[in-house]
Amino acid sequence: MQLVVARVGRAHGIKGEVTVEVRTDEPELRLSPGAVLLTDPASAGPLTIETGRVHSGRLLVRFEGVRDRNGAEALRNTLLIADVDPDERPEEDDEYYDHQLMDLDVVLADGTEIGRITEISHLPSQDLFIVERPDGTELMIPFVEEIVTEIDLERQRAVIDPPPGLIDDRAEIASSRDSAETDGSDGSDESREEES
C-alpha cells in the first residue's frame, strides 16, 4: 500500500536541501536517511533521502543526486510516497493509519448507524472524520478520545459518544429567560433590600 508521507517545499540554501511538509506521525521511520520514496509526479522519482535535519522547527532533507538549488527547486510540491505493508500498524496502540480508518462504519454505543468515514482531515489542532450519512449529507466528527470511544478494526466500525448537537440539530439550549420562567423570578439580577 502506498501512503503520502510528505510534500517537498522550497529549496533551502544552495547545496540541494529542501524543506519538507511532513504528513506522517512517524517521520523518523519514513523520512530517515536511506529511505527510498516514490513520487507524485512519478517522473520526479524515486528519490533516496541522503540526509535529514531539523532547522528552526522544519525538517530539511537532501536527496541523493540533488546537489544545487536549481535541482532542489525543481522538486517543489512533489509528494513523497512510502510503500507500506497494509498489515503494518503504528507503534502506539491508539494510533491508526488513514487507510485503516477509511470506510469504517460510524455507530453510537447502542449500535445506531450514523454513517461511514469517507475522508480524514488533518488539521493543526486535531483530526476530523468526514462521515457520509445514509441520506448523503456529511458530518465532521473530531477524532478525540472523548467523542470517538472505540475503533474496532475487526468489526470495521468506529463507536462515538457525541455531545448534543454534533450529529443532529436538537442541541439542548437553555437561556436565562427559560430558567427564570421555571423558578418564578423575573430574571433580573437586581437584589432588593427590604425597607425597615
Side-chain angles (χ1 to χ4, degrees):
M1 169 164 284
Q2 296 181 341
L3 300 176
V4 174
V5 295
R7 184 182 65 84
V8 177
R10 63 180 185 219
H12 179 83
I14 60 171
K15 296 184 179 179
E17 282 187 312
V18 293
T19 60
V20 173
E21 176 190 307
V22 177
R23 295 189 180 176
T24 175
D25 289 336
E26 301 171 312
E28 66 286 344
L29 175 66
R30 307 283 179 219
L31 301 171
S32 61
V36 179
L37 301 167
L38 302 174
T39 60
D40 181 7
S43 59
L47 295 171
T48 302
I49 295 179
E50 186 174 286
T51 64
R53 66 186 176 101
V54 176
H55 174 72
S56 298
R58 298 196 73 137
L59 180 61
L60 300 179
V61 168
R62 179 179 298 127
F63 298 105
E64 288 182 4
V66 179
R67 295 282 172 240
D68 60 22
R69 186 174 185 87
N70 290 338
E73 201 55 50
L75 295 173
R76 191 171 191 167
N77 292 322
T78 298
L79 296 178
L80 302 177
I81 302 166
D83 214 357
V84 177
D85 180 345
D87 295 326
E88 183 179 326
R89 290 283 311 269
E91 292 178 9
E92 300 294 325
D93 288 339
D94 61 346
E95 291 182 356
Y96 303 90
Y97 293 128
D98 287 4
H99 72 272
Q100 294 173 302
L101 300 171
M102 290 296 290
D103 293 324
L104 291 185
D105 292 324
V106 178
V107 298
L108 299 178
D110 66 6
T112 303
E113 182 183 341
I114 301 302
R116 181 180 55 85
I117 299 172
T118 58
E119 184 182 338
I120 292 119
S121 180
H122 300 283
L123 303 177
S125 59
Q126 68 190 12
D127 295 336
L128 290 175
F129 290 160
I130 308 302
V131 177
E132 184 178 314
R133 300 191 76 168
D135 65 5
T137 60
E138 287 186 339
L139 291 171
M140 289 186 277
I141 308 283
F143 187 22
V144 294
E145 191 175 348
E146 297 80 23
I147 296 174
V148 180
T149 58
E150 180 187 358
I151 297 290
D152 187 340
L153 295 179
E154 286 185 18
R155 295 176 68 187
Q156 287 291 291
R157 67 183 204 157
V159 180
I160 64 169
D161 182 15
L166 183 65
I167 61 172
D168 58 30
D169 296 331
R170 296 181 300 242
E172 296 175 20
I173 301 171
S175 72
S176 59
R177 182 175 19 205
D178 293 340
S179 61
E181 289 171 3
T182 57
D183 68 12
S185 72
D186 65 358
S188 72
D189 291 333
E190 295 177 16
S191 59
R192 295 194 177 130
E193 194 175 310
E194 289 185 13
E195 293 180 16
S196 51

